[in-house]
């Protein structure tokens, strides 16, 4: 079994970083995790965001959180991205593959992937 | 739901929303049956609400008048000849015990049995979304058992959030290792 000593090592590495992170977080990725989202595949979408943001070293800049029903169940999995000073972006019918593109183009590149947004659906 | 682990995620979200400080998720497997128990110390539900939650047209959500969480759970269990049972109590006075226990029982041999699926992702997703509440996950099988208690991890982490990506990876790997050894 994985040892708690390993967890202690993670704790020691993260302790200073956590304080920095709490103050500096700017971008919020919010995944709808009500029954509608979960049934439509929100769990792998959420995990893809968590993993990609960590792998790309964006954890100081971006947080991932969960919310309940956003109200457009037919478009689940739905992901909202909030950036200070910008309009909210709503991505719909998300998949783990689409997450890779959103992380690369939107979170890293600063460009909304319009083909995945709700405005493209209506 | 394509996997029972998604039902678990969905029902456990209700526990968190009910203000639970500890949500216990147990999966008990015998050769022929599988039982899921989600037990929380949240606010509980009065009797009339317990009766109402099995109705798809009851929900606490405000965006839509349909709540399919419990109906989906019941469908999945009953289609295998199993059942769902909900026990709940609200505190009548300060200090009273309160909370909800949802039990879902399945016959694994039935053709309509839904596989448990990726239960590790369900556990990490719950912890990622609710790092300030505790979860006790146990899975007992004929071959051995798997468990994870966030209270133990929390005491080791000394304030580092359970939702830290490195911690979530540790949790995922720890559960995977335990599953590999049973």
């Amino acid at each position: 079994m994985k040892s708690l000593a390993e967890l202690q090592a993670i704790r020691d590495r993260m302790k200073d970083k956590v304080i920095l992170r709490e103050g500096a977080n700017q971008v919020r990725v919010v995944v709808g995790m009500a029954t509608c989202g979960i049934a439509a595949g929100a769990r792998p979408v959420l995990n893809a965001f968590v993993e990609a943001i960590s792998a790309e070293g964006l954890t100081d800049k971006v947080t991932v959180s969960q919310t309940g029903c956003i109200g457009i169940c037919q478009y689940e999995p739905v992901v909202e991205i909030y950036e200070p000073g910008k309009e909210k972006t709503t991505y719909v019918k998300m998949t783990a593959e689409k997450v890779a593109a959103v992380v690369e183009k939107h979170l890293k590149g600063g460009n909304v992937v319009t083909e995945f947004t709700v405005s493209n659906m209506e | 739901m394509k996997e029972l682990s998604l039902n678990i995620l969905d029902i456990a979200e209700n526990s968190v929303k009910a203000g639970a400080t500890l949500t216990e998720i147990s999966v008990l497997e015998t050769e022929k049956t599988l039982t899921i128990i989600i037990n929380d110390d949240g606010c509980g539900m009065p009797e009339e609400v317990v009766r109402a939650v099995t109705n798809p047209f009851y929900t606490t959500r405000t965006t839509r008048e349909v709540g399919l969480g419990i109906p989906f759970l019941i469908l999945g269990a009953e289609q295998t000849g199993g059942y769902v049972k909900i026990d709940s109590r609200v505190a009548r006075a300060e200090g009273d015990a309160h909370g909800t226990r949802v039990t879902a029982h399945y016959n694994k041999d039935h053709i309509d049995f839904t596989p448990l699926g990726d239960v590790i992702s369900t556990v990490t997703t719950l912890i990622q979304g609710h790092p300030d509440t505790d979860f006790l996950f146990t899975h007992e099988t004929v071959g051995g058992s798997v468990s994870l208690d966030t209270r133990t991890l929390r005491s080791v982490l000394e304030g580092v959030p359970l939702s830290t990506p490195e911690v979530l990876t540790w949790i995922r790997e720890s559960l995977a290792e335990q599953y590999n050894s049973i």
Side-chain angles (χ1 to χ4, degrees), chain A residues 1-8 10-18 21-22 33-36 38-44 46-47 50-51 53-54 59 63-74, chain B residues 1-3 5-7 9-10 13 17 61 63-64 68-69 72 117-119 121-122 124-126 128-130 147 152-153 155-161 164-170 172-174 177-178:
Chain A
M1 183 180 164
K2 274 191 93 65
S3 69
L4 288 176
E6 235 173 292
L7 195 64
Q8 279 162 358
I10 294 171
R11 173 198 69 202
D12 294 338
R13 272 205 310 280
M14 301 317 294
K15 255 197 161 163
D16 309 327
K17 266 185 145 179
V18 171
R21 196 178 276 176
E22 276 168 0
M33 293 291 290
T35 306
C36 47
I38 293 169
R43 190 183 65 186
L46 177 96
N47 285 321
V50 171
E51 278 162 28
I53 284 164
S54 175
T59 44
T63 52
V64 183
S65 55
Q66 304 176 21
T67 187
C69 181
I70 291 165
I72 43 171
C73 308
Q74 67 273 34
Chain B
M1 297 279 181
K2 286 183 189 145
E3 303 175 1
S5 66
L6 293 174
N7 291 105
L9 174 59
D10 191 28
E13 293 282 357
K17 212 173 286 170
R61 73 169 69 185
T63 48
R64 185 171 290 272
L68 293 171
F72 276 163
D118 185 1
V119 76
S121 286
T122 282
T124 56
T125 300
L126 283 168
Q128 195 274 339
H130 314 287
S147 73
T152 313
L153 310 188
S155 69
V156 171
L157 286 168
E158 293 175 7
V160 172
T164 308
E166 290 81 353
V167 174
L168 292 171
T169 304
W170 184 93
R172 176 175 289 281
E173 288 172 359
S174 165
E177 272 181 27
Q178 291 183 55

Side-chain angles (χ1 to χ4, degrees), chain B residues 11-30:
Chain B
I11 303 302
E13 293 282 357
N14 298 341
S15 297
V16 174
K17 212 173 286 170
T21 59
L22 175 67
T23 302
E24 296 167 76
I25 298 167
S26 318
V27 182
L28 309 167
E29 272 189 83
T30 66

Side-chain angles (χ1 to χ4, degrees), chain A residues 89-104:
Chain A
T89 307
T90 304
Y91 288 115
V92 298
K93 297 195 172 179
M94 286 298 285
T95 61
E97 290 74 37
K98 287 182 177 177
V99 169
V102 168
V103 170
E104 190 59 36

